[in-house]
Structure formats: structure tokens, C-alpha cells
Amino acid sequence: MVLGQILDWIYGKAVEFLSEFLSLMDGMGTELFEFVWVEAVVEFFRYFGWALYGVGLIVSVFEAAMEYQAGRPNAIRDMAIGSIKGFFAVSLFSILPVELYKLCIDLQGTLSQGIAGASNTEGISSMARAAMGGLNGYGAIVALFLLILMGYSIFKIFFANLKRGGILLIQIAVGSLYLFSVPRGYTDGFYGWCRQVAGLCLTAFLQTTMLIAGLMVCNSNMLLGCGLMLSSTEVPRIAQQFGLDTSAKANIMSAVYTTQTAVNLTRSLAAAIK
């Protein structure tokens, strides 16, 4: 009885430590944006975004004028709406993602600590049975396998949290390339970028929370707890199925296509002016 309470206390402290540690790793992603050189990089892309917005606004004026002469009276209204959307986009694309990410990290840390602290663990009876109940069978092998799965989940979430701040910085840099198209009314690429930022923040919130919840479930059922911990590694893939892709591959390719379109359009306008 006393040994069980001691093991229960040790396990609870270990879960609290892991919760705080993973929250700290998530917080390092937000601390990245406090470095001077990172602020300089974000500022550079902010000015670059404003420059692209200005060029796109000029191009949208010419396009609206040509469409109006061609007999489309709504061209001026569409140009005005696009310019307003572009103004809000260029004003917030370097600020709002960082603030949203900080909010998700704070919420995740508070929720994980609440789960770890408010749960009255029932001891590690199931873990002990899994580890020691198979002296004459395969229980020890199963327990070792489950421990390997737990370690795999923890390390995968750890490295995912460690690189998430850098991914957000890349997304901010790529997002500036879409600001040429937004005032012209082509917003699909920018909306896809917004979904990527939302997917990144959602992943940061869910992965660690589900990992801590899995550790608490391991107390009563180690197999189900390992399943819940492994499911935390599938959050990005599931989010991708609903349009919340957290990778940068598709976004960069779309941004490159947008840049090529801008270059070709500029050449066409230059040739028409000559």
C-alpha cells in the first residue's frame, strides 16, 4: 500500500515535469521571435510585403481601368474591396500569426498543467502488472514494447515542438509573397496560407495536450494510454485532411507560381506601355 502511494506520487511528479518541459519547448518557439536578428528578418519581410502590396495595388488599378472600359462596371468596386483586404492582410501577416501562436501555447500550457495536477492518479498498478506480471509469459516483452512506443511519442512531440517556431518564421516569410495578388482579387493562395498558420497553432495546442492526457490514461490502462499518445503524432495529418496543412511545401510552390505570374504580368505591362 505504501509502496503504491510512493510510486503514484513519483509518477504524478514525472507527468507534471514532462508537461512543464514540453510547454517550455513550445514556449521556445515564441521566444525565437524575441531575438534581434529574427525581428530584423520579420521586419524585412514586412517591408517586402508592403512593397508587393503597393505594386499589386497599382496593377489592380490598371486592370480595373481596362475592365471598366471593356464594359464591366463592377471592376472599380472589386478593386476597392481587394485593396481593403490587401491592406488588412499586409498589416497583420507578420503580427497576428505570432500572437495567435503565443495564445495557443499559453492555453496549452495551462490545460496540460491542469490535467497533470488535477488528476488523482490511481497508482501504477496496471503498469506494474504489465511489467511484472509476465515472468512466465510475454508480459515483460509487451511492457517493453509499450514503453518503446511511449518514448517514441514523447521524442517525436519534443522535436516537433522544437522546430515549430522556425516553421512559423518560414510561413511569415512565404506569406509576404501573396500580398501582390490580394489587392488584385486573387485571394485563394493567401487563404491557404492562413489555413496553414491556423493548422500550425492547432497542432501546437493539441499535440502536447493529447500526449499529457495519454500519460494520465496510462495510469489505469497502459495500452489505451499508448494509443492516445501515438494518436497525438497524427494531429498534423488529420488537420491536413481538413485543409489545415502545417507543411510549407505546397505553400512555397504556390508562392513561386504567384511570383512568376507577377513577373510575366509586369513584362506585359511594360511592353504595352512601350
Side-chain angles (χ1 to χ4, degrees):
M1 183 66 180
V2 176
L3 180 61
Q5 292 177 352
I6 294 175
L7 293 176
D8 176 40
W9 179 82
I10 293 175
Y11 185 77
K13 291 299 180 182
V15 173
E16 290 181 7
F17 166 77
L18 187 60
S19 173
E20 294 179 1
F21 179 73
L22 292 177
S23 298
L24 180 62
M25 291 298 102
D26 273 334
M28 290 178 64
T30 62
E31 294 176 1
L32 177 67
F33 293 91
E34 298 177 0
F35 288 95
V36 176
W37 67 270
V38 176
E39 292 179 352
V41 171
V42 174
E43 191 72 8
F44 167 78
F45 283 105
R46 188 175 73 86
Y47 284 121
F48 182 63
W50 275 106
L52 289 180
Y53 168 71
V55 175
L57 187 61
I58 295 173
V59 173
S60 68
V61 172
F62 282 103
E63 290 178 342
M66 290 187 293
E67 291 181 0
Y68 185 79
Q69 291 179 353
R72 187 173 173 228
N74 295 330
I76 298 178
R77 186 196 65 182
D78 295 340
M79 181 205 68
I81 294 175
S83 63
I84 294 174
K85 290 181 179 179
F87 176 77
F88 283 110
V90 75
S91 300
L92 297 175
F93 86 98
S94 61
I95 301 174
L96 188 60
V98 179
E99 297 300 325
L100 181 61
Y101 182 69
K102 290 180 179 178
L103 176 62
C104 291
I105 294 304
D106 292 339
L107 290 176
Q108 178 270 317
T110 303
L111 181 59
S112 296
Q113 291 177 7
I115 293 174
S119 178
N120 295 321
T121 57
E122 300 175 356
I124 57 171
S125 55
S126 67
M127 299 178 66
R129 285 195 301 268
M132 297 182 295
L135 295 178
N136 298 321
Y138 298 98
I141 299 177
V142 173
L144 179 61
F145 177 71
L146 293 177
L147 289 175
I148 292 174
L149 292 181
M150 291 174 63
Y152 167 78
S153 302
I154 292 172
F155 278 106
K156 189 169 183 178
I157 300 301
F158 167 76
F159 286 110
N161 293 348
L162 196 60
K163 67 181 181 180
R164 197 164 282 131
I167 294 177
L168 183 61
L169 180 61
I170 295 173
Q171 288 182 338
I172 292 175
V174 174
S176 62
L177 301 177
Y178 291 103
L179 297 175
F180 174 80
S181 301
V182 175
R184 298 172 52 225
Y186 302 105
T187 57
D188 291 341
F190 185 75
Y191 287 161
W193 176 83
C194 292
R195 289 194 296 269
Q196 280 195 317
V197 174
L200 181 72
C201 296
L202 178 66
T203 302
F205 175 78
L206 280 182
Q207 274 194 325
T208 306
T209 302
M210 293 187 64
L211 180 65
I212 300 302
L215 286 172
M216 302 311 300
V217 174
C218 279
N219 242 1
S220 55
N221 193 315
M222 194 174 183
L223 185 61
L224 289 178
C226 286
L228 186 58
M229 293 172 66
L230 288 174
S231 68
S232 65
T233 62
E234 298 295 325
V235 172
R237 185 181 63 83
I238 296 174
Q240 183 177 356
Q241 300 300 319
F242 293 91
L244 300 178
D245 186 10
T246 59
S247 65
K249 180 179 178 181
N251 221 346
I252 291 177
M253 295 302 297
S254 181
V256 169
Y257 176 77
T258 302
T259 305
Q260 291 176 349
T261 303
V263 172
N264 295 333
L265 182 60
T266 303
R267 290 176 180 175
S268 301
L269 289 176
I273 293 175
K274 290 180 180 180

Coordinates of all heavy atoms in Angstrom, one line a residue, residues 44-83:
F44 N 12.1 42.8 -42.3 CA 12.4 42.9 -43.7 C 11.3 42.3 -44.5 O 10.9 43.0 -45.6 CB 13.7 42.0 -44.0 CG 13.9 41.7 -45.4 CD1 14.4 42.7 -46.3 CD2 13.6 40.5 -46.0 CE1 14.7 42.4 -47.6 CE2 13.8 40.2 -47.3 CZ 14.4 41.2 -48.1
F45 N 10.7 41.2 -44.2 CA 9.6 40.6 -44.9 C 8.3 41.5 -44.8 O 7.5 41.5 -45.7 CB 9.3 39.2 -44.5 CG 10.3 38.2 -45.1 CD1 11.3 37.7 -44.3 CD2 10.3 37.9 -46.4 CE1 12.2 36.8 -44.8 CE2 11.2 37.0 -47.0 CZ 12.2 36.5 -46.2
R46 N 8.2 42.2 -43.7 CA 7.1 43.1 -43.6 C 7.1 44.2 -44.6 O 6.2 44.6 -45.3 CB 7.0 43.7 -42.2 CG 5.7 44.5 -41.9 CD 5.7 44.9 -40.4 NE 6.6 46.0 -40.2 CZ 6.4 47.3 -40.4 NH1 5.2 47.7 -40.8 NH2 7.3 48.2 -40.1
Y47 N 8.3 44.8 -44.7 CA 8.5 45.9 -45.7 C 8.4 45.3 -47.2 O 7.9 46.0 -48.1 CB 9.9 46.5 -45.6 CG 10.0 47.5 -44.4 CD1 10.9 47.3 -43.4 CD2 9.1 48.6 -44.3 CE1 10.9 48.2 -42.3 CE2 9.1 49.5 -43.3 CZ 10.0 49.3 -42.2 OH 10.1 50.2 -41.2
F48 N 8.9 44.1 -47.3 CA 8.8 43.4 -48.6 C 7.3 43.2 -49.0 O 6.9 43.4 -50.1 CB 9.6 42.1 -48.6 CG 9.6 41.4 -49.9 CD1 10.1 41.9 -51.0 CD2 9.0 40.1 -50.0 CE1 10.1 41.3 -52.2 CE2 9.0 39.4 -51.2 CZ 9.5 40.0 -52.3
G49 N 6.5 42.8 -48.0 CA 5.1 42.6 -48.2 C 4.4 43.9 -48.6 O 3.6 44.0 -49.4
W50 N 4.8 45.0 -47.9 CA 4.2 46.3 -48.2 C 4.6 46.7 -49.7 O 3.8 47.3 -50.4 CB 4.7 47.4 -47.2 CG 3.9 47.5 -46.0 CD1 4.2 47.0 -44.8 CD2 2.6 48.1 -45.9 NE1 3.2 47.3 -43.9 CE2 2.2 47.9 -44.5 CE3 1.7 48.7 -46.8 CZ2 1.0 48.4 -44.0 CZ3 0.5 49.1 -46.3 CH2 0.1 49.0 -44.9
A51 N 5.8 46.4 -50.1 CA 6.2 46.8 -51.4 C 5.4 46.0 -52.5 O 4.9 46.5 -53.5 CB 7.7 46.5 -51.6
L52 N 5.3 44.7 -52.2 CA 4.4 43.9 -53.1 C 3.0 44.3 -53.1 O 2.3 44.3 -54.2 CB 4.5 42.4 -52.7 CG 5.9 41.7 -53.0 CD1 5.8 40.2 -52.5 CD2 6.2 41.8 -54.5
Y53 N 2.5 44.7 -52.0 CA 1.1 45.2 -51.9 C 1.0 46.5 -52.7 O 0.0 46.7 -53.5 CB 0.7 45.5 -50.5 CG -0.5 46.3 -50.3 CD1 -1.8 45.7 -50.6 CD2 -0.5 47.6 -49.9 CE1 -3.0 46.4 -50.5 CE2 -1.7 48.4 -49.8 CZ -2.9 47.7 -50.0 OH -4.1 48.5 -49.9
G54 N 2.0 47.4 -52.6 CA 1.9 48.6 -53.4 C 1.9 48.4 -54.9 O 1.2 48.9 -55.7
V55 N 2.8 47.4 -55.4 CA 2.9 47.1 -56.8 C 1.6 46.4 -57.2 O 1.0 46.7 -58.3 CB 4.1 46.2 -57.0 CG1 4.1 45.7 -58.5 CG2 5.4 46.9 -56.7
G56 N 1.1 45.5 -56.4 CA -0.2 44.9 -56.7 C -1.4 45.8 -56.8 O -2.3 45.7 -57.6
L57 N -1.3 46.9 -55.9 CA -2.4 47.9 -55.9 C -2.4 48.7 -57.2 O -3.4 49.0 -57.8 CB -2.2 48.8 -54.7 CG -3.4 49.8 -54.5 CD1 -4.7 49.1 -54.3 CD2 -3.0 50.7 -53.3
I58 N -1.1 49.0 -57.7 CA -1.0 49.8 -58.9 C -1.5 48.9 -60.1 O -2.2 49.4 -61.0 CB 0.5 50.2 -59.1 CG1 0.8 51.2 -58.1 CG2 0.7 50.8 -60.5 CD1 2.3 51.6 -58.1
V59 N -1.1 47.7 -60.1 CA -1.5 46.8 -61.2 C -3.1 46.6 -61.2 O -3.7 46.6 -62.2 CB -0.8 45.4 -61.0 CG1 -1.4 44.4 -62.0 CG2 0.7 45.6 -61.3
S60 N -3.6 46.5 -60.0 CA -5.1 46.3 -59.9 C -5.8 47.6 -60.4 O -6.9 47.4 -61.0 CB -5.5 46.1 -58.4 OG -5.3 47.2 -57.6
V61 N -5.2 48.7 -60.3 CA -5.8 50.0 -60.8 C -5.9 49.9 -62.3 O -6.9 50.2 -63.0 CB -5.1 51.2 -60.3 CG1 -5.6 52.5 -61.1 CG2 -5.3 51.4 -58.8
F62 N -4.7 49.5 -62.9 CA -4.7 49.3 -64.4 C -5.7 48.3 -64.9 O -6.4 48.5 -65.9 CB -3.3 49.0 -64.9 CG -2.4 50.2 -64.9 CD1 -1.4 50.4 -63.9 CD2 -2.4 51.1 -65.9 CE1 -0.6 51.4 -63.9 CE2 -1.6 52.2 -65.9 CZ -0.6 52.4 -64.9
E63 N -5.8 47.2 -64.2 CA -6.7 46.1 -64.5 C -8.1 46.5 -64.4 O -9.0 46.2 -65.3 CB -6.4 44.9 -63.7 CG -5.1 44.2 -63.9 CD -4.9 43.0 -63.0 OE1 -5.6 42.9 -62.0 OE2 -4.0 42.1 -63.4
A64 N -8.4 47.3 -63.3 CA -9.8 47.8 -63.2 C -10.2 48.8 -64.3 O -11.3 48.8 -64.8 CB -10.0 48.4 -61.8
A65 N -9.2 49.6 -64.7 CA -9.5 50.6 -65.7 C -9.8 49.9 -67.0 O -10.7 50.2 -67.8 CB -8.3 51.5 -65.9
M66 N -9.0 48.9 -67.4 CA -9.2 48.1 -68.6 C -10.5 47.4 -68.6 O -11.2 47.3 -69.6 CB -8.0 47.2 -68.9 CG -6.7 47.9 -69.2 SD -5.4 46.8 -69.6 CE -5.1 45.9 -68.1
E67 N -10.8 46.8 -67.5 CA -12.1 46.0 -67.4 C -13.3 47.0 -67.4 O -14.3 46.7 -68.0 CB -12.1 45.2 -66.1 CG -11.1 44.1 -66.1 CD -11.2 43.2 -64.8 OE1 -12.0 43.6 -63.9 OE2 -10.4 42.3 -64.7
Y68 N -13.1 48.2 -66.8 CA -14.2 49.2 -66.9 C -14.5 49.6 -68.3 O -15.6 49.8 -68.7 CB -13.9 50.3 -66.0 CG -15.0 51.3 -65.8 CD1 -16.1 51.1 -65.0 CD2 -15.0 52.5 -66.6 CE1 -17.1 52.0 -64.9 CE2 -16.0 53.4 -66.5 CZ -17.1 53.2 -65.6 OH -18.1 54.1 -65.5
Q69 N -13.4 49.9 -69.0 CA -13.5 50.3 -70.4 C -14.1 49.1 -71.3 O -14.8 49.4 -72.3 CB -12.2 50.7 -71.0 CG -11.7 52.0 -70.4 CD -10.3 52.4 -71.0 OE1 -9.7 51.6 -71.7 NE2 -9.8 53.6 -70.6
A70 N -13.9 47.9 -70.8 CA -14.4 46.8 -71.6 C -15.9 46.5 -71.3 O -16.5 45.5 -71.8 CB -13.6 45.5 -71.3
G71 N -16.5 47.3 -70.4 CA -17.9 47.2 -70.1 C -18.2 46.4 -68.8 O -19.4 45.9 -68.7
R72 N -17.3 46.4 -67.9 CA -17.6 45.7 -66.6 C -17.7 46.8 -65.5 O -16.6 47.2 -65.0 CB -16.5 44.7 -66.3 CG -16.8 43.9 -65.1 CD -15.8 42.8 -64.9 NE -16.1 42.1 -63.6 CZ -15.1 41.8 -62.7 NH1 -13.9 42.2 -63.0 NH2 -15.4 41.2 -61.6
P73 N -18.9 47.2 -65.2 CA -19.0 48.3 -64.2 C -18.6 48.0 -62.8 O -18.3 48.9 -62.0 CB -20.5 48.7 -64.3 CG -21.1 47.5 -64.7 CD -20.2 46.8 -65.6
N74 N -18.6 46.7 -62.4 CA -18.2 46.3 -61.0 C -16.7 46.2 -60.8 O -16.3 45.9 -59.7 CB -18.8 44.9 -60.7 CG -20.3 45.0 -60.7 OD1 -20.9 46.0 -60.4 ND2 -21.0 43.9 -61.0
A75 N -15.9 46.6 -61.8 CA -14.5 46.4 -61.7 C -13.9 47.4 -60.7 O -13.0 47.0 -59.9 CB -13.8 46.7 -63.1
I76 N -14.4 48.6 -60.6 CA -13.9 49.5 -59.6 C -14.3 49.1 -58.2 O -13.4 49.2 -57.3 CB -14.5 50.9 -59.9 CG1 -14.0 51.4 -61.3 CG2 -14.0 51.9 -58.8 CD1 -14.5 52.8 -61.7
R77 N -15.5 48.6 -58.0 CA -15.9 48.1 -56.7 C -15.0 46.9 -56.2 O -14.5 46.9 -55.1 CB -17.3 47.7 -56.7 CG -17.9 47.3 -55.3 CD -19.2 46.5 -55.4 NE -19.0 45.3 -56.1 CZ -20.0 44.4 -56.4 NH1 -21.2 44.7 -56.1 NH2 -19.7 43.3 -57.0
D78 N -14.8 46.0 -57.2 CA -13.9 44.8 -56.8 C -12.5 45.3 -56.5 O -11.8 44.7 -55.6 CB -13.9 43.9 -58.0 CG -15.3 43.2 -58.3 OD1 -16.1 43.3 -57.3 OD2 -15.5 42.7 -59.4
M79 N -12.0 46.3 -57.2 CA -10.7 46.8 -56.9 C -10.6 47.4 -55.5 O -9.6 47.2 -54.8 CB -10.3 47.8 -58.0 CG -8.9 48.4 -57.8 SD -8.7 50.1 -58.5 CE -9.8 51.0 -57.4
A80 N -11.6 48.2 -55.2 CA -11.7 48.8 -53.8 C -11.7 47.7 -52.7 O -11.0 47.8 -51.7 CB -12.9 49.7 -53.7
I81 N -12.6 46.7 -52.9 CA -12.6 45.6 -51.9 C -11.3 44.9 -51.8 O -10.8 44.6 -50.7 CB -13.8 44.6 -52.3 CG1 -15.1 45.3 -52.2 CG2 -13.7 43.4 -51.4 CD1 -16.3 44.5 -52.7
G82 N -10.7 44.6 -53.0 CA -9.4 43.9 -52.9 C -8.3 44.7 -52.3 O -7.5 44.2 -51.5
S83 N -8.3 46.0 -52.5 CA -7.3 46.9 -51.8 C -7.5 46.9 -50.3 O -6.5 46.9 -49.6 CB -7.4 48.3 -52.4 OG -8.7 48.9 -52.1

